[in-house]
């Protein structure tokens, strides 16, 4: 599918911030912080790391956004074209 996109945008966020946001979002659904943290450490993070290794999305992105601080995303790299 990579060749079908007009623009590729990648939002960069640390693993720690991802878990923090995941806890805030998923805790009401699952009701157990330990379960949510396990989901991130044993399922989501390993899958995401595999994606990073296989696809190198930051390198492929037309626009790279630092999304570490909620409400303060900023473009850190971009290509014209």
């Amino acid at each position: 599918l990579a060749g079908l996109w007009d623009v590729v945008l990648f939002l960069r966020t640390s693993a720690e911030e991802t878990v923090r946001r995941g806890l805030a979002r998923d805790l009401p659904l699952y009701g157990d912080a330990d379960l949510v943290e396990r989901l991130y450490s044993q399922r989501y993070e390993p899958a995401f790391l595999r994606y990073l290794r296989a696809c190198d999305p930051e390198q492929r992105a037309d626009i790279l956004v630092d999304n570490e601080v909620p409400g303060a995303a900023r473009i850190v790299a971009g290509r014209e074209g």
Side-chain angles (χ1 to χ4, degrees):
L1 293 175
L4 300 175
W5 305 113
D6 293 327
V7 176
V8 176
L9 176 76
F10 184 79
L11 303 176
R12 181 171 58 200
T13 306
S14 69
E16 295 80 15
E17 180 62 15
T18 300
V19 171
R20 189 193 70 74
R21 292 179 193 182
L23 274 168
R25 182 190 60 237
D26 296 344
L27 187 56
L29 176 65
Y30 292 105
D32 182 343
D34 290 335
L35 172 61
V36 173
E37 289 179 354
R38 276 195 313 276
L39 284 170
Y40 277 84
S41 67
Q42 295 176 7
R43 182 176 186 174
Y44 304 140
E45 183 69 12
F48 183 66
L49 292 174
R50 182 177 180 187
Y51 166 66
L52 289 178
R53 285 190 304 272
C55 299
D56 196 9
E58 284 194 32
Q59 192 64 32
R60 296 174 138 206
D62 297 305
I63 302 169
L64 176 60
V65 177
D66 180 335
N67 195 35
E68 188 70 14
V69 179
R74 61 188 181 84
I75 295 173
V76 294
R79 290 195 285 264
E80 291 190 31

